[in-house]
Amino acid sequence: MACRKFERWISDDMDNRLSDKMRAALRKHLKECERCRSYQENLKILQAEAQKPGEVAVRAEFLEDLGRRLEKALYSGPASGSEKAARLGGRWKWAWAGVAVFVLALAGGAFLLLRPKTPPDLWPASYEDSLALILGEIGEDADLAESFDQVLEASIGEALFEAEYPMFWEDLDEDEIRLMELDIENGREI
Amino acid sequence: MEAFTALAGLYQERIFRTILGFTRNPEDAGDLTQETFMAAFKSLNSFRQGARFYTWIYRIAVNSTLNFLKKKGREKNRTEFKKDVDSLSLPGSPPNSPEGESLRNELGRRLDEAVSGLPLPFRSSFILVVHEGMSHADAAGVLGCSENTISWRMHKARKLLQQKLKPYLDEVRHGLP
């Protein structure tokens, strides 16, 4: 868990995104953790290598020709036929979107009307009730109490870690979400 | 029109090189540069007074390029970035010898391949932040996402690249003075 967090901090540190407090905590961890030190050194080599000028060669004539092509294209203007086709395509898109919204609304209404009613006694208990239930189960058992404390501390730690990067997934696209799912399925960290 | 053509002349090479960083193909980059300036010219009325022309056209260029790469379906088989390094064969030479220099060159070549093989969202963030030297905030502005998303993508991109190239990186690291 700790190394997982620090790996991300190492990346953020390379992009000058860490607060002073986080940077100090990272330095402290790096002094103690050989694995993270190696990881950081590898990333530094990667960074230096990636920042070297690219080697895709482009002939000067190619660039001159590009300039001429661009000027010619700008002066000749856009083709009106393709624009018209694009506009018509846009209208059809809106029509299909309207149909989709209507179907969704219909399905939503049907679901609300037809869904089975849940008996009130099956609703989950409140947080306080659940806690009272667990504490009752633990009773005088010291081992069980200690295990429960550890679970609580771990979940608090997890919540604090996530809070430093709130909602990082909010803009992920489908590919990235699929990658995260694969990571979870394969037991890898995300 | 003259003013726009003059601006196009001023920025076309920078825009071309940025696009080339994504496509690695001069022909595609040339076509996309032309498309970028044509699209910008057609939507000149959406250009806000006071905004920087280069920033505006840069955003159009990056978005056109990302759309092009998505459409071409090049990313289809790349999203599952393979972690295995079986295909990597290390030359057996110390990295600080002349052969070591060739190891470093080999690392550069492999890195180029590995970056090209990254899933598109990771690659676009990596190119903007590492190659173009943008801050997370600027990259987020260009790609239309949050800074936290850029931070996460950078972490994942670096981690994937590190896993892919670990044998080379370890070899280079052990040869450092």
Side-chain angles (χ1 to χ4, degrees), chain A:
Chain A
M1 165 70 195
C3 287
R4 188 181 119 192
K5 178 177 82 174
F6 286 116
E7 277 178 359
R8 177 145 178 197
W9 285 16
I10 288 168
S11 172
D12 276 347
D13 190 33
M14 296 182 89
D15 299 333
N16 294 318
R17 252 184 69 90
L18 283 190
S19 65
D20 290 345
K21 199 176 156 191
M22 288 161 96
R23 191 172 293 117
L26 174 63
R27 298 281 172 270
K28 187 170 176 285
H29 176 76
L30 287 172
K31 273 186 191 161
E32 295 156 3
C33 180
E34 164 77 32
R35 190 184 157 280
C36 285
R37 262 202 316 276
S38 304
Y39 181 74
Q40 187 195 38
E41 283 164 20
N42 279 355
L43 290 200
K44 281 182 179 171
I45 297 170
L46 266 182
Q47 183 91 348
E49 205 60 44
Q51 282 173 335
K52 285 183 182 171
E55 78 281 10
V56 179
V58 184
R59 287 176 293 110
E61 304 91 73
F62 182 90
L63 288 171
E64 283 166 22
D65 183 49
L66 175 66
R68 277 194 294 272
R69 267 167 56 199
L70 185 58
E71 200 169 325
K72 196 175 161 196
L74 283 171
Y75 276 103
S76 62
S80 56
S82 62
E83 269 191 346
K84 195 177 172 186
R87 274 203 303 275
L88 282 174
R91 276 179 206 162
W92 274 110
K93 266 186 213 167
W94 283 110
W96 282 114
V99 171
V101 168
F102 178 71
V103 170
L104 277 175
L106 213 61
F111 172 75
L112 285 174
L113 285 173
L114 302 174
R115 70 178 170 159
K117 301 283 182 277
T118 313
D121 56 344
L122 286 185
W123 284 105
S126 70
Y127 171 74
E128 287 78 10
D129 290 347
S130 308
L131 196 62
L133 209 66
I134 293 168
L135 291 175
E137 288 281 330
I138 290 172
E140 299 297 314
D141 189 331
D143 287 343
L144 209 54
E146 196 186 332
S147 304
F148 183 61
D149 281 349
Q150 281 170 0
V151 170
L152 272 185
E153 276 170 21
S155 64
I156 290 168
E158 196 78 34
L160 285 176
F161 171 62
E162 295 301 339
E164 282 161 10
Y165 297 104
M167 306 294 283
F168 74 86
W169 57 86
E170 62 189 349
D171 298 312
L172 301 186
D173 69 10
E174 283 174 18
D175 282 349
E176 289 172 295
I177 289 169
R178 202 157 64 78
L179 269 174
M180 282 175 71
E181 282 171 357
L182 276 173
D183 280 350
I184 292 166
E185 277 169 24
N186 296 322
R188 291 192 293 264
E189 65 202 47
I190 55 168

Side-chain angles (χ1 to χ4, degrees), chain B residues 17-49:
Chain B
R17 296 219 175 263
T18 297
I19 295 173
L20 188 61
F22 281 90
T23 62
R24 318 298 291 166
N25 177 321
E27 298 296 330
D28 287 343
D31 290 345
L32 283 164
T33 304
Q34 186 170 330
E35 196 180 294
T36 297
F37 281 98
M38 292 303 290
F41 184 64
K42 276 195 271 180
S43 53
L44 256 182
N45 54 357
S46 71
F47 177 60
R48 282 183 297 109
Q49 288 291 323

